[in-house]
Amino acid sequence: MKAAFSTLTATAFLLCGCATPYMKAVAAEKAQVTLVEENLAGQRYVAIGSSFAAGPQLPPVKPSWPARCGQSFNNYPTLLAERFGMVLIDRSCSGAVTDNVLGPWGEVPPQINSVTPDTRLVTITIGGNDLSYIGNLFSATCAFNAKIIAASGAKTKACGPVRIPTEADYVRDEAQLNEIARRIKATAPQARIVFVQYLTPVPPPGKLCADTPVSETDAAIVREIGRRLAEITGRVAQAHGTIVVEMNQSSATHTPCDKEPWMIGSPQGYDGRQGLQWHLNKAGMQATADGISTWLIKSGVRPVKPSVTVEPGLNPPGPAPTKPAPGQPVPAVPVPAPTARPTTAPAATPTATPAAKPATKSSGDTRKR
């Protein structure tokens, strides 16, 4: 399975041919970094994020903390932990916003509280719900279908508005992500921190299809939020010397309208058995795990078993994880997984600090249903 992604190095091909000051700085730093082979087996891995990390309705369901978080045994944190034999502390929760990472959310404690000094890996997919990124797609789908129903003379239900974030929303989202990165680095200075970009949910203008029932106007709003969210996440990663895996770019040709989709759109009559609408399917979760795995391997981390090749979208061979009793932690079960194809060299280690500050620009899930 091809998974094109970037570690924000000077690989201009992956970033539309644009060499930013940060890319040049990291390229210079990279020449001074000696990669040391490392085994993360048995090490603590904390997964932070919203539904794009949790995998709501994607089978098999994982007993999560609590069940409303909607975690799956096929979410990318679980697949990644299996690949490297890490002990997974999965704190991803569907509907989470950045406030829920930094503070409590009802009975759910702050996700960041699970990061401890002995943590060696943290993955982060958060910030989209703060901007109504995926929530807007549910509202847009409702409006699109309501228009069709109304034309037939039938009654329609009320739909939520498609929200356009303000500049203050974008500024706050970036500040929150910066605070998350700062606290993680302060608590776990030896941890590798990986920001994982949200996958692209809709195709380019003019290419919407039956599986993406939204208007071009609403799709344009969603695309702009995604663009700015990606920029925000990239700047935060740059500012803190961490890694960003560009799943927004690698998934651009795997939308619900493409031949090999990594996301579920909102097909007519869809029963939800393969995952929640407008969220990652199994192939998307595997591709995301592959993207992160490739960077880890290129940076010197050894997988627990030799790599194997399987058909795209399938789970790695081997025993399925044993479901723990409700309330018990979910340990990782070491099994092999597909080899991601490296497309770029690794960036500097997570503790490195970029020599250059980010350039300008701004970037962007409403709470998921």
Side-chain angles (χ1 to χ4, degrees):
M1 180 188 299
K2 294 183 179 179
F5 65 94
S6 169
T7 56
L8 287 183
T9 67
T11 308
F13 170 76
L14 292 177
L15 293 180
C16 307
C18 304
T20 66
Y22 170 64
M23 291 162 58
K24 295 176 182 177
V26 170
E29 283 184 356
K30 187 164 64 67
Q32 304 173 27
V33 176
T34 300
L35 299 179
V36 178
E37 193 173 64
E38 180 182 0
N39 188 340
L40 290 178
Q43 297 296 321
R44 184 181 181 90
Y45 160 32
V46 178
I48 286 174
S50 58
S51 55
F52 269 42
Q57 297 182 25
L58 177 64
V61 175
K62 180 193 295 184
S64 56
W65 64 297
R68 70 179 172 90
C69 285
Q71 295 176 356
S72 167
F73 274 108
N74 271 320
N75 65 16
Y76 82 72
T78 304
L79 300 177
L80 186 66
E82 290 170 349
R83 180 76 182 273
F84 294 95
M86 293 176 285
V87 177
L88 172 62
I89 313 300
D90 191 351
R91 292 301 179 247
S92 61
C93 194
S94 298
V97 295
T98 53
D99 279 341
N100 308 138
V101 174
L102 299 169
W105 183 15
E107 77 281 27
V108 182
Q111 294 186 28
I112 203 166
N113 284 6
S114 291
V115 177
T116 56
D118 62 339
T119 300
R120 291 297 177 267
L121 176 68
V122 181
T123 57
I124 307 166
T125 303
I126 199 71
N129 282 325
D130 300 60
L131 303 170
S132 304
Y133 187 25
I134 302 305
N136 274 344
L137 286 168
F138 283 94
S139 297
T141 299
C142 177
F144 185 92
N145 291 332
K147 187 175 182 179
I148 295 175
I149 294 172
S152 69
K155 291 184 178 180
T156 62
K157 64 178 181 180
C159 300
V162 173
R163 173 187 166 224
I164 300 177
T166 65
E167 286 303 313
D169 292 326
Y170 287 114
V171 170
R172 183 180 187 278
D173 206 25
E174 185 163 357
Q176 292 281 91
L177 291 177
N178 272 306
E179 180 63 10
I180 289 169
R182 186 193 68 77
R183 291 195 195 180
I184 292 173
K185 291 190 72 173
T187 301
Q190 296 183 62
R192 297 168 186 261
I193 303 173
V194 182
F195 280 93
V196 183
Q197 299 276 25
Y198 284 74
L199 275 67
T200 299
V202 292
K207 295 188 176 181
L208 293 173
C209 64
D211 287 352
T212 55
V214 298
S215 69
E216 277 291 356
T217 298
D218 290 339
I221 292 171
V222 170
R223 292 188 195 102
E224 177 63 9
I225 294 173
R227 182 188 71 80
R228 296 196 62 177
L229 176 58
E231 289 183 350
I232 285 173
T233 305
R235 282 201 301 271
V236 172
Q238 172 183 342
H240 295 275
T242 65
I243 299 305
V244 58
V245 178
E246 303 278 4
M247 292 310 300
N248 58 320
Q249 293 187 21
S250 62
S251 64
T253 55
H254 295 278
T255 72
C257 296
D258 290 306
K259 185 177 179 180
E260 296 180 356
W262 290 352
M263 282 192 63
I264 302 163
S266 187
Q268 185 70 31
Y270 176 62
D271 61 12
R273 293 182 182 180
Q274 299 305 312
L276 184 63
Q277 297 173 19
W278 296 117
H279 284 75
L280 280 67
N281 59 21
K282 187 188 297 184
M285 285 295 186
Q286 186 66 69
T288 304
D290 285 348
I292 303 168
S293 294
T294 301
W295 176 79
L296 291 175
I297 292 170
K298 292 292 289 184
S299 68
V301 179
R302 300 194 308 271
V304 294
K305 290 185 179 181
S307 299
V308 296
T309 300
V310 298
E311 295 179 48
L314 295 182
N315 286 325
T322 302
K323 294 183 180 180
Q328 296 300 310
V330 181
V333 178
V335 297
T339 304
R341 296 188 181 181
T343 55
T344 180
T349 54
T351 53
T353 301
K357 289 292 180 184
T360 50
K361 293 190 183 179
S362 268
S363 344
D365 181 91
T366 312
R367 290 189 179 258
K368 181 209 68 66
R369 290 20 179 172

